[in-house]
Amino acid sequence: MGASQSRPELVDEKVFRVEQPIQFSPDVVDQLSDHTASPTPTPERQSTLDEHIRSRIQNEVKQLRKEEEEVHKAIHSALEKENLDREKAMAGDASESGETGAGTIKSSAALFGDLEEIRAKIERFQARKELSNYPEIKSSQEALLSCYKAHPTTALECWREVSKFKASVAQLEQESFKTLH
C-alpha cells in the first residue's frame, strides 16, 4: 500500500560526453600539486592571515575594555546613588526621631564643610605656632638650650631658664585659647 510512496523513483541519468580532452596548464598542475603536498599556506598568505587575526583580536580587546569601563561607571554610579539614598534615609530617621546635636547623622556635604572648617582652624593654629612671631619664647628657648649645653652633666643648674620658658609658653597658650574661642 504505502510502499510505493516511500521508494525513491528512478531518475534518468544524463551523461555528457566531451569530444575534446580537458587540458590544464603546467602552472596550474604544479600549484595544485604544491598545495596538496604541503597543507600549510604560503608565507605571504600566512602573514595576511596572521595580520587579520591580530586585528580582530585587537578589536575584541578594545570592545571588551570599553564594555568593562561602562560596567565600572555603572557600578560606581549605582554605589554613589545607593550611598546618597542611605545617607538621606539615615538623616531622615535621625530628624524624625527628634535627635539634635552630636547624635545626628550629617550628609557628606555637611561633613565636608565641617572638615574644611577644622582644616582652616588647624592652619591658623600652625601659623601661630611658629616661634618667629613670638620673640619672648624664642629668646627663653635659646637661653634654655645654651644653659643645657653649658651644663651637660648638671641639668638642674638650669631651673631658672626652665621656669622662664614654661611661663612664656603658658602665656602663649592662654592667648591662643582666648583667640580660638
Side-chain angles (χ1 to χ4, degrees):
M1 270 191 199
S4 65
Q5 293 177 352
S6 60
R7 279 191 194 166
E9 294 183 21
L10 294 176
V11 179
D12 292 335
E13 289 184 8
K14 293 185 181 184
V15 177
F16 295 97
R17 307 240 182 247
V18 178
E19 298 186 14
Q20 291 190 356
I22 299 175
Q23 294 183 358
F24 294 103
S25 71
D27 292 336
V28 173
V29 173
D30 288 342
Q31 186 178 5
L32 289 175
S33 66
D34 286 345
H35 282 296
T36 57
S38 72
T40 58
T42 63
E44 297 85 21
R45 174 86 174 130
Q46 184 65 42
S47 66
T48 305
L49 288 172
D50 290 347
E51 186 60 37
H52 179 71
I53 291 171
R54 271 191 223 103
S55 68
R56 289 190 65 188
I57 289 173
Q58 288 174 349
N59 288 340
E60 276 296 314
V61 167
K62 285 179 186 177
Q63 184 66 26
L64 289 173
R65 284 187 180 149
K66 188 176 182 183
E67 289 174 5
E68 181 183 19
E69 185 177 324
E70 290 172 1
V71 167
H72 279 292
K73 286 180 182 178
I75 290 172
H76 181 71
S77 64
L79 287 175
E80 191 173 277
K81 183 183 180 309
E82 182 181 326
N83 287 340
L84 287 174
D85 290 345
R86 188 179 305 136
E87 283 180 2
K88 287 178 184 175
M90 292 171 84
D93 291 346
S95 63
E96 289 173 7
S97 64
E99 293 180 24
T100 57
T104 61
I105 299 171
K106 297 182 178 183
S107 69
S108 296
L111 289 174
F112 187 72
D114 291 346
L115 182 64
E116 287 300 318
E117 183 181 328
I118 290 171
R119 224 179 250 153
K121 285 182 180 180
I122 289 172
E123 287 174 2
R124 284 194 308 252
F125 177 75
Q126 293 293 345
R128 288 186 195 133
K129 189 174 141 181
E130 293 180 17
L131 294 180
S132 62
N133 297 338
Y134 305 102
E136 64 276 354
I137 292 180
K138 184 76 170 166
S139 64
S140 63
Q141 179 188 24
E142 289 173 358
L144 180 60
L145 288 174
S146 64
C147 181
Y148 279 146
K149 288 178 184 177
H151 302 66
T153 56
T154 56
L156 293 177
E157 297 287 331
C158 302
W159 66 272
R160 286 184 195 96
E161 288 81 6
V162 170
S163 59
K164 287 179 187 177
F165 182 71
K166 282 184 178 180
S168 60
V169 168
Q171 180 183 3
L172 177 63
E173 286 176 346
Q174 288 296 325
E175 290 174 9
S176 297
F177 184 74
K178 288 178 186 177
T179 57
L180 285 177
H181 294 291

